[in-house]
Amino acid sequence: MNTKKSILIILSFILIYGCKENGKKVETERENWWLWTANWNPNNNQISVGGTQDTLRLFSSETYQLIDNIPLRGTITKTKWHPIKNKLAISMQDEKSKSLILDPISKEQIVLDSLDESGARAIGWNNKGELLAVGDYSGFLNIYNESGGIIKRINTKQKGLIGLDWHPKKNIITVVGERVSIYDFEKDSIYDIKPRKEDVLMLCVAWNPNGEFFVTGDYGDFEKDYPPLLQFWSANGKNLRNIDKSKAEFRNLKWSTDGKFLATASESLRLWNENGDLLEESESGNLLWGIDWNESDSKIVTTDEKGKIIIWDKELKQIQELKY
């Protein structure tokens, strides 16, 4: 074998081996690309997605093509579009970055002042978009105006706040962590609900659009044989129904715009009616984290623990996987 041929064979081997190793590296990295949140914006036909990748990604909700990558240092735990204007509230965790309000066009950022340096995971606008609430890991509920100025800080006396949702018609916020706390902004009053006799971490909460009840989802505790619960509550905190059909924690949940269907993110994508009856169920293959409906209630977007972004139809059939 001549020297030139030997060199070509060696180079080919290095190239092939390198590609395989790079492929393994990308696959390993993707396994750690937890996508925590997905949020469908009806005002500009965009879907925001974020997680552990130090990047906010914006997709077209019409073509499903990637529109923009916006670098943000830290884990993006939740994104919430303003109900009227083209601006995005983003909760962050780690010491790398604080939660903020982002203009996706100009890229202008308004950093939100917070007492907790480790970050936040609960964020949301009220129905008019004039108030923004952030629940941090120290148990403080921080209320800001639309420009990001702090208005109130409420110590819920919880160890940390994991999820929140505003009442659809009133300035009342339900927050969850180790328990349920309901805060009335106008009256500046708060009261607590012990959701179950076992101590479990609550992860998510969503008011039905009619404002008459809300639903919470928790982590459960499989080591202690405490199943994750989906719990229905009246507006004043009366327990209406408990459901234990999930084999993994309820990471997120979202009502359809008309309030007739509840989509939940767990080891499967599930669809429930207003009474808590299971209508549809579809295995995703991975633990789902982020979830949201489009404005017409015809499609659902989910994100998962392996970095996948899936669009589903109302029958919970996969339509498309978004590429980035």
Side-chain angles (χ1 to χ4, degrees), residues 236-247:
N236 61 2
K238 179 183 178 182
N239 185 231
L240 302 174
R241 185 172 183 181
N242 297 330
I243 303 168
D244 63 356
K245 294 183 179 180
S246 178
K247 297 177 182 178

Side-chain angles (χ1 to χ4, degrees), residues 121-175:
R121 188 164 158 179
I123 196 167
W125 300 96
N126 71 344
N127 63 333
K128 296 180 181 178
E130 60 192 5
L131 297 173
L132 177 66
V134 176
D136 65 32
Y137 285 143
S138 291
F140 279 85
L141 179 60
N142 305 280
I143 312 293
Y144 305 87
N145 61 27
E146 189 181 345
S147 301
I150 187 71
I151 298 174
K152 289 182 181 180
R153 279 197 176 97
I154 302 96
N155 186 358
T156 67
K157 298 181 180 178
Q158 295 202 49
K159 294 177 182 177
L161 301 179
I162 308 301
L164 68 78
D165 197 32
W166 290 83
H167 188 282
K169 301 172 185 177
K170 303 175 183 178
N171 284 332
I172 293 174
I173 313 169
T174 302
V175 295

Side-chain angles (χ1 to χ4, degrees), residues 47-99:
I47 302 170
S48 60
V49 172
T52 59
Q53 305 164 23
D54 290 339
T55 304
L56 174 73
R57 289 185 167 85
L58 301 179
F59 294 85
S60 166
S61 59
E62 296 177 340
T63 65
Y64 302 131
Q65 298 300 306
L66 180 66
I67 297 173
D68 204 353
N69 284 325
I70 302 175
L72 292 174
R73 297 186 67 236
T75 295
I76 300 170
T77 54
K78 185 77 73 174
T79 62
K80 284 290 184 178
W81 290 99
H82 190 281
I84 302 169
K85 301 177 182 179
N86 187 25
K87 61 172 68 177
L88 186 64
I90 304 171
S91 60
M92 308 281 294
Q93 74 175 21
D94 311 336
E95 297 179 359
K96 297 179 182 178
S97 181
K98 289 189 176 183
S99 301

Side-chain angles (χ1 to χ4, degrees), residues 36 77-78 93 121-123 135 137 158 160-165 174-180 195-196 200-206 215-222 228-231 246 248-253 265-267 287-289 291:
W36 290 55
T77 54
K78 185 77 73 174
Q93 74 175 21
R121 188 164 158 179
I123 196 167
Y137 285 143
Q158 295 202 49
L161 301 179
I162 308 301
L164 68 78
D165 197 32
T174 302
V175 295
V176 296
E178 58 189 311
R179 57 183 181 272
V180 181
R196 49 192 294 182
V200 299
L201 180 65
M202 308 194 73
L203 295 175
C204 48
V205 56
V215 179
T216 59
D218 67 39
Y219 209 108
D221 191 328
F222 289 101
L229 289 184
L230 191 68
Q231 295 182 285
S246 178
E249 67 268 20
F250 289 98
R251 282 278 166 183
N252 275 296
L253 45 83
S266 189
E267 90 289 355
L287 180 62
L288 299 174
W289 283 47
I291 194 166

Side-chain angles (χ1 to χ4, degrees), residues 4-19:
K4 186 177 180 180
K5 190 173 182 180
S6 298
I7 292 172
L8 287 174
I9 291 173
I10 292 170
L11 288 174
S12 298
F13 175 79
I14 292 172
L15 179 62
I16 293 170
Y17 180 78
C19 288

